Amino acid sequence: MWKKIPLTPLFLGLAGVLPFAFLSATKIFGFDTAFGLPTQPTSALYSLVILSFMSGCIWSFSTGKGDYLGCALSTAPTLVGFFLVASTTVNSSFGFVGVVKAFVLLFPLLLILDYRAHQLGQTPDWWMQLRTILTALVVICLLIIAL
């Protein structure tokens, strides 16, 4: 059953998707840069920021309920994302295209952790609905950027 998502989290969540949408639009229109920023590295860095933020939300939900396994699990996506981005800046053999593709997988994996927190009653009723919409939009944008 669909729950009504409060407007503030909905609009703020959609605002967080805007950089992904902008960067994917630049790729669609054949540009490799947006305002002088290279599309794929910028996408990888922004993905790391958003993935870290969302992992922090799960960490907060888990901590509030004493779910320390959830806290531990929520740190994994950020650590993986960090090492992907850091290794690419040091050694470009994997390349930013590969990093962006990895984030295409990491965001849905994070959604699984969201679902776990939701099943344990740690999130608001509307949380999974919002997270599913935002994750789908982000993944679509990242797929466009990775092409």
Side-chain angles (χ1 to χ4, degrees), residues 34-123:
F35 298 110
L37 299 171
T39 304
Q40 290 166 342
T42 303
S43 300
L45 290 172
Y46 188 65
S47 293
L48 178 59
V49 168
I50 295 301
L51 192 79
S52 298
F53 176 77
M54 295 316 306
S55 292
C57 290
I58 297 169
W59 190 90
S60 177
F61 290 143
S62 299
T63 303
K65 300 290 184 173
D67 174 22
Y68 300 111
L69 175 60
C71 292
L73 291 172
S74 71
T75 62
T78 299
L79 291 173
V80 171
F82 169 77
F83 286 112
L84 283 168
V85 172
S87 68
T88 302
T89 58
V90 173
N91 176 6
S92 62
S93 62
F94 189 55
F96 281 107
V97 174
V99 173
V100 172
K101 288 178 182 177
F103 278 112
V104 167
L105 298 174
L106 284 172
F107 278 101
L109 288 174
L110 186 63
L111 190 62
I112 294 169
L113 296 179
D114 279 301
Y115 181 74
R116 179 189 179 277
H118 185 72
Q119 288 299 107
L120 293 173
Q122 298 171 354
T123 64

